[in-house]
Amino acid sequence: MSAAEREPQVVADRVDAAIHALADVVESGRRGWTRTALGPVDRDARAIVRRWMVEAGLQTSVDGAGNIFGLLPGTGSRGRSLMVGSHTDTVDGGGRFDGIVGVVGAIEAVHALRESNHRLEHDLVVVDFFNEEPNEFGLSCVGSRAMVGELNATHLDLTDTHGITLAQALRRIGIDASSALASRYDFSGVAAFLELHIEQGPYLEQHGSQIGLVESITGIARFQALFSGRADHAGTMPMDRRHDAGCAAAGTVLAVERIARQGRDSKGTCGQVTFTPEATNVVTEHAEFRGEFRGPEAQWLRTAQEALVSAAEAEGSTRGVTVEIDWLPTQDPAPMSASVLSTLSGVVDGLGLSSSRLFSGAEHDAAILARAVPAGLIFVPSQDGRSHCPEEWTDLPDIAAGVTTLTHALLALDRTASTIGATS
Ligand code: HGY
Ligand code: MN
Ligand code: MN
């Protein structure tokens, strides 16, 4: 550390104020803290984040996919950079910390570095990724997928339950579909990517660890299931002559649960259930729902997909109901960079923080970025393991420990990044 450089100090109250300021920018009348990416207030929140980036001394820009970037130029002339960030959109009825901690924490790390006279050799790029949460079209990580070149025309043609395409929904919030497709980021100079995030599960709290170092991020197979039967009078049509699409769907929902209980650390969840007509005196003609399987093993995800198709077909055939399963963008489990993980281990040990290595059952932009650069993911504990609900909570001292870890990790990577192999 040079004479002018001091120990970086994270200002927890500044982080707390930012988290609570964003918590005020939510969709009125919705449960919990709701700020969906394609909704009416996400753009307001992102304008605030961009202003915070400017106040932290970052040069800001926005790409064609809605990602916001803040650049802190380094002292080196090699054009190499470190990237750090997360997302600020929420699920419907979500909490105040999911994603937000990582964006606010990245900006706080910039403040801490500058206020302690640290100048990184690498450029530092802070990112607020657009639309990380699965949207009503079944697509998650829209901004980060665009950056790695994975957003494609098929994604933009995905429709919601009203027949609107994702491209139309993006246009409504000022994002042009073709610009989004052309927003591939040049990662050639990016030495590593770091994300700070709440764990959203019970592991760290159960193990008494202040910091989680993620080894890999879950694979996900998402789908839409469509059932077509026949409308009949609920009071006259005998049970054995019905083609009840609703019952076929319900049986398939239970099959998702049964299949998900069979894998190692596997999960299965259904949502967005629609019965048409919505009447109890009419046998359901059409039913649809969305679901997903998650797990640490790509092979199990494949077998789960096959098991779902045969279960749905069985539920349909016994009722004379036709079934269609459409797979939405699925992704294999994403291992984090071993060398970034090793750097993070050294940082938390050096800071005297207790830590655990763990698997992430939640999806993150880091899983997408890991396809382009060596990526690392730092967790802070979630109270009672709760998230994606208003009860989501992480204590400020835990958040501050995470931001301190992130800040020191950036200093460590700045020194060691040249030794990190590409996506190692
Ligand atoms: O769904 C997830 O795991 C993440 O919160 N988007
Ligand atoms: Mn989430
Ligand atoms: Mn998240």
Side-chain angles (χ1 to χ4, degrees):
M1 204 181 296
S2 72
E5 292 173 345
R6 298 191 308 277
E7 185 67 12
Q9 293 303 323
V10 164
V11 178
D13 289 346
R14 187 162 49 193
V15 174
D16 196 38
I19 288 171
H20 285 85
L22 278 185
D24 289 340
V25 187
V26 289
E27 294 167 29
S28 57
R30 303 287 283 274
R31 284 183 330 119
W33 285 265
T34 300
R35 187 174 53 247
T36 52
L38 302 171
V41 300
D42 186 58
R43 216 170 7 178
D44 301 340
R46 298 158 56 65
I48 292 169
V49 168
R50 187 172 186 178
R51 192 179 75 239
W52 288 342
M53 286 185 178
V54 171
E55 289 166 0
L58 298 170
Q59 299 162 20
T60 65
S61 59
V62 183
D63 70 4
N67 298 302
I68 303 176
F69 300 91
L71 170 67
L72 181 69
T75 58
S77 56
R78 294 175 299 161
R80 287 182 60 76
S81 61
L82 295 172
M83 187 173 277
V84 61
S86 192
H87 65 98
T88 49
D89 62 310
T90 75
V91 295
D92 180 18
R96 290 160 277 183
F97 302 90
D98 173 358
I100 290 114
V101 161
V103 173
V104 169
I107 295 170
E108 178 58 27
V110 172
H111 282 299
L113 289 171
R114 300 189 69 215
E115 290 162 2
S116 56
N117 299 321
H118 282 276
R119 290 292 310 276
L120 299 181
E121 193 174 326
H122 289 74
D123 293 346
L124 181 60
V125 181
V126 175
V127 190
D128 178 359
F129 296 103
F130 173 70
N131 193 179
E132 187 271 350
E133 296 293 354
N135 56 36
E136 46 272 48
F137 301 86
L139 187 65
S140 62
C141 300
V142 175
S144 50
R145 285 181 206 274
M147 286 175 64
V148 302
E150 281 202 7
L151 186 68
N152 60 46
T154 308
H155 295 153
L156 295 173
D157 288 340
L158 289 169
T159 56
D160 64 8
T161 48
H162 308 292
I164 302 287
T165 66
L166 175 56
Q168 290 168 322
L170 289 172
R171 196 171 309 123
R172 271 195 308 222
I173 58 168
I175 292 178
D176 169 64
S178 49
S179 315
L181 290 179
S183 297
R184 188 175 197 135
Y185 189 90
D186 176 7
F187 285 99
S188 58
V190 181
F193 168 75
L194 282 183
E195 182 169 8
L196 170 66
H197 204 285
I198 56 172
E199 179 203 339
Q200 300 182 286
Y203 191 94
L204 295 181
E205 189 176 64
Q206 279 169 349
H207 291 76
S209 296
Q210 292 167 289
I211 300 290
L213 302 179
V214 175
E215 293 174 319
S216 79
I217 298 174
T218 189
I220 302 182
R222 289 194 172 103
F223 63 88
Q224 183 176 27
L226 303 159
F227 301 81
S228 298
R230 189 182 72 186
D232 278 308
H233 193 294
T236 55
M237 185 51 65
M239 292 305 285
D240 61 358
R241 288 180 49 189
R242 294 181 174 201
H243 306 289
D244 190 329
C247 292
T252 308
V253 166
L254 290 175
V256 169
E257 182 189 40
R258 186 175 64 248
I259 294 163
R261 287 185 187 281
Q262 292 160 0
R264 179 178 69 85
D265 217 352
S266 53
K267 318 284 190 321
T269 316
C270 299
Q272 294 172 280
V273 180
T274 310
F275 281 13
T276 312
E278 286 186 312
T280 55
N281 65 344
V282 180
V283 176
T284 304
E285 182 177 12
H286 295 289
E288 67 175 84
F289 69 88
R290 295 222 173 136
E292 59 170 56
F293 288 112
R294 298 192 187 204
E297 292 155 7
Q299 185 48 47
W300 179 82
L301 286 169
R302 306 273 181 278
T303 51
Q305 288 179 275
E306 289 159 12
L308 171 78
V309 170
S310 50
E313 285 170 354
E315 293 292 343
S317 65
T318 54
R319 296 178 178 86
V321 167
T322 58
V323 180
E324 180 187 335
I325 303 286
D326 295 327
W327 294 101
L328 297 163
T330 65
Q331 54 223 39
D332 282 349
M336 295 290 97
S337 155
S339 42
V340 172
L341 194 52
S342 158
T343 300
L344 292 175
S345 281
V347 166
V348 290
D349 292 348
L351 290 169
L353 294 170
S354 57
S355 67
S356 295
R357 292 189 175 206
L358 73 168
F359 164 73
S360 172
E363 174 188 32
H364 299 285
D365 289 306
I368 306 295
L369 272 283
R371 299 173 194 169
V373 292
L377 180 56
I378 304 164
F379 276 170
V380 289
S382 291
Q383 194 169 71
D384 300 330
R386 302 289 308 279
S387 181
H388 281 186
C389 58
E391 295 78 10
E392 181 181 277
W393 180 265
T394 297
D395 288 334
L396 184 57
D398 287 338
I399 295 172
V403 181
T404 300
T405 301
L406 183 69
T407 307
H408 284 265
L410 290 170
L411 286 168
L413 287 171
D414 189 46
R415 292 189 296 271
T416 61
S418 53
T419 61
I420 293 178
T423 60
S424 60

